[in-house]
Amino acid sequence: MRNFNSPKFGHSMGDDSDDDDFDSGTEPEFLVEPYVLEEFPITEEIEEIEGDDEEYNPNEEIGTSSSDDEDDSDDSDSDKEQENDGEDSSTTNTVPKRVIDDYDEDMEEDEVIKAIITEIKKPRSKPPDIKTEDFVTDLCFHPDQDLLAVGTTTGDVIVYKFTNDECTIVNTHETHTKSVRDVEFNADGDLLISTARDRSIMVTDVETGKLKRFWDDAHEEPVYTMSMITEHTFATGDDGGVLKLWDLRQKDPVFKLKEVEDFISCIITNEQKKYLLMTSGDGYLTTINIPQRKMYVQSEPYEEELTCMGVFRRDSKLVVGSSKGNFYTFNWGQFGYHCDAFIGPKAGVNKMVPITERIAVTGGEDGILRAMHLVPGRVLGIVGQHSLAVETMDINSTGELIASSSHDNDIRFWNIKYFEEFDDIKYNSKPDKKAMTHNLPSSKQTNAADFFSGLAGDQSGAEGD
């Protein structure tokens, strides 16, 4: 994952769907409540059946006729429509049409139901979920375009183009023979670098899909993680604790170090590119001096796996997350022992994505994405949720969208544009325990207290008028 600082928030709004009127000459035998929240991919219009000599028979199926020729023509038309629908759905993940979109909330007398319908019918501010056939192991946003690269357990790298309405597959690179471990774009976005369990490293041209460079048996152990350092250099760490630095213009690695005995979980650096930091499964934070190509310092061992990192406060603070949900803060340059620590959620933390100079979004074993103020440490609330553990996360170049994936094979997007209004937070205020379960605006779940308090305010204002 890339380290992200100081995002520039963009604007992204969906289109309002057209309202269709539902007319029927007779009262149907069943009633569908207009505020049912279920989604239906296909909506059917029921037309009145008119006949000169024949009376309407309620036992007959709607749309049937006594003529065999008409039956054949109707069946052929419906078959064509089904084939067309199948072709469209195989290539894109589109937003299905909902029954709720055809309902006019102004006709509803119940104020609570009216407010719920209004909330649901708001324009989309993020792409729809992507459902994949194979397990997703890593994902990465393009630095300039609305593209998302996804690595799978089959060894493929799938590139999606996304909008607020749909996600379309642009290209599929069948690069590796075993599960992809990490995938990254270079700074210009013209190259896509992927590592895998087959111990290989592939460099693919994003535009043409052609293989630009290939390292077979790049490591003796499967590659676990990777991180871009400069435009031409990147670092990889494997399951055996070996770190290698690569240059896209050279055949052999720039240098190789082995300072830990367990898997390397995360690799990052800052804008100065002097120190390269890595965390490992044996509980060490190891710092490499890049110009001198040797170890700078190694921390005291921690009795837990160190899993993720983030740089904050203009590169003055480093925060490290662990498999036990703990967070350790280091002063930059003083990586031997932490200067502060705090306990986060009980579940282990797998990923950390910085979104401002003080705030990060973390994903853990409980499947919940939390916004956390890390200097000092406190939980702000829930950004989103999966049903299973969060496997990977990334943030787009504008800082507006976060994409995450879980063991349920779903890729979900979360619009975090509202964080630009968090500058007025009293950072030193006492942490609120309720924040551990408080849903932020991007979450798919709503806080009932917040919703009804807003509703009560609207009603009181209406009474005052």
Side-chain angles (χ1 to χ4, degrees):
M1 294 298 99
R2 294 168 291 148
N3 186 39
F4 187 88
N5 286 313
S6 301
K8 297 181 180 178
F9 293 87
H11 299 280
S12 176
M13 296 296 291
D15 297 331
D16 291 330
S17 59
D18 296 331
D19 292 336
D20 298 328
D21 294 330
F22 178 87
D23 296 325
S24 178
T26 60
E27 183 176 356
E29 296 179 0
F30 60 93
L31 294 177
V32 178
E33 294 297 332
Y35 42 81
V36 173
L37 306 185
E38 297 181 358
E39 296 184 354
F40 299 89
I42 301 175
T43 58
E44 298 180 355
E45 295 183 357
I46 304 176
E47 300 179 353
E48 280 191 14
I49 301 176
E50 297 181 356
D52 295 335
D53 300 329
E54 296 180 1
E55 296 182 357
Y56 171 69
N57 186 355
N59 296 326
E60 291 181 357
E61 295 181 357
I62 297 176
T64 59
S65 175
S66 59
S67 173
D68 295 335
D69 295 338
E70 293 179 0
D71 288 342
D72 295 338
S73 62
D74 292 342
D75 293 340
S76 62
D77 292 340
S78 61
D79 292 339
K80 291 180 181 179
E81 293 176 359
Q82 291 177 359
E83 292 176 0
N84 294 334
D85 293 341
E87 293 175 0
D88 296 338
S89 62
S90 62
T91 57
T92 61
N93 290 278
T94 59
V95 181
K97 183 173 177 59
R98 306 173 299 177
V99 173
I100 195 72
D101 293 330
D102 294 332
Y103 181 70
D104 186 2
E105 64 270 22
D106 293 335
M107 300 297 293
E108 177 61 51
E109 296 181 358
D110 192 313
E111 293 296 330
V112 175
I113 300 302
K114 183 187 294 187
I116 293 175
I117 295 172
T118 303
E119 185 71 19
I120 294 175
K121 291 179 67 174
K122 286 183 178 180
R124 294 186 61 88
S125 60
K126 62 180 181 179
D129 296 348
I130 299 175
K131 299 185 182 298
T132 61
E133 296 181 357
D134 303 313
F135 183 78
V136 176
T137 54
D138 193 39
L139 51 81
C140 179
F141 280 104
H142 191 277
D144 299 318
Q145 305 177 32
D146 292 336
L147 298 176
L148 181 71
V150 177
T152 68
T153 53
T154 59
D156 298 339
V157 177
I158 307 172
V159 180
Y160 290 89
K161 182 176 180 59
F162 60 87
T163 66
N164 283 348
D165 297 322
E166 63 179 11
C167 298
T168 308
I169 296 178
V170 177
N171 207 339
T172 300
H173 306 296
E174 298 178 355
T175 52
H176 299 277
T177 59
K178 294 184 179 180
S179 174
V180 174
R181 287 290 186 86
D182 207 328
V183 58
E184 297 284 347
F185 287 99
N186 66 340
D188 290 338
D190 57 344
L191 297 178
L192 187 60
I193 307 172
S194 58
T195 63
R197 194 170 177 271
D198 58 9
R199 300 179 288 122
S200 66
I201 301 174
M202 303 283 191
V203 182
T204 308
D205 188 279
V206 175
E207 187 69 23
T208 64
K210 294 182 178 180
L211 191 64
K212 302 288 290 185
R213 182 171 287 277
F214 167 64
W215 285 282
D216 192 14
D217 294 331
H219 283 254
E220 295 181 359
E221 297 287 340
V223 179
Y224 190 89
T225 188
M226 173 179 59
S227 178
M228 295 299 302
I229 307 300
T230 65
E231 174 61 25
H232 300 287
T233 60
F234 63 96
T236 55
D238 64 21
D239 289 350
V242 174
L243 173 78
K244 290 187 178 183
L245 185 67
W246 304 85
D247 193 317
L248 294 172
R249 299 161 294 185
Q250 299 181 20
K251 181 179 179 180
D252 298 324
V254 177
F255 67 84
K256 167 185 173 181
L257 291 172
K258 180 176 172 58
E259 301 293 343
V260 295
E261 299 299 328
D262 209 337
F263 70 96
I264 297 176
S265 56
C266 183
I267 303 173
I268 66 169
T269 186
N270 65 348
E271 293 183 358
Q272 296 178 353
K273 315 297 182 184
K274 180 179 179 181
Y275 297 120
L276 187 68
L277 295 90
M278 65 179 189
T279 54
S280 56
D282 50 7
Y284 286 102
L285 169 64
T286 306
T287 308
I288 308 297
N289 188 308
I290 297 178
Q292 297 179 6
R293 301 182 182 180
K294 65 179 182 180
M295 188 179 75
Y296 172 69
V297 68
Q298 190 173 64
S299 71
E300 294 292 326
Y302 292 83
E303 297 181 356
E304 53 199 306
E305 296 177 357
L306 301 183
T307 56
C308 54
M309 290 182 287
V311 181
F312 303 89
R313 297 285 298 276
R314 297 179 176 85
D315 293 352
S316 64
K317 298 290 183 179
L318 172 75
V319 179
V320 179
S322 77
S323 59
K324 293 184 179 180
N326 299 321
F327 292 87
Y328 301 97
T329 303
F330 296 80
N331 290 320
W332 189 261
Q334 301 175 6
F335 306 116
Y337 197 72
H338 61 271
C339 62
D340 194 9
F342 68 96
I343 300 175
K346 294 181 180 180
V349 179
N350 295 335
K351 296 292 180 180
M352 179 190 302
V353 176
I355 59 176
T356 71
E357 289 293 339
R358 298 172 180 265
I359 300 174
V361 173
T362 64
E365 290 293 325
D366 56 1
I368 297 177
L369 281 70
R370 291 181 173 88
M372 304 191 68
H373 187 276
L374 295 176
V375 188
R378 57 170 295 187
V379 178
L380 299 177
I382 295 175
V383 171
Q385 52 279 119
H386 289 268
S387 58
L388 298 173
V390 176
E391 179 72 15
T392 180
M393 291 193 308
D394 197 19
I395 187 170
N396 71 338
S397 58
T398 64
E400 182 177 347
L401 287 176
I402 280 183
S404 62
S405 181
S406 175
H407 295 291
D408 54 11
N409 287 21
D410 283 357
I411 300 173
R412 298 182 179 181
F413 296 86
W414 317 97
N415 190 312
I416 58 170
K417 185 177 182 297
Y418 55 87
F419 276 107
E420 66 182 333
E421 302 175 358
F422 275 37
D423 294 336
D424 296 331
I425 289 180
K426 296 180 180 180
Y427 297 117
N428 295 324
S429 61
K430 184 178 180 180
D432 186 359
K433 293 183 179 180
K434 294 182 179 179
M436 295 290 290
T437 58
H438 178 76
N439 292 284
L440 296 173
S442 57
S443 175
K444 289 192 173 184
Q445 299 182 9
T446 308
N447 298 295
D450 294 344
F451 173 77
F452 286 107
S453 63
L455 179 62
D458 294 340
Q459 289 178 342
S460 62
E463 291 175 358
D465 296 338

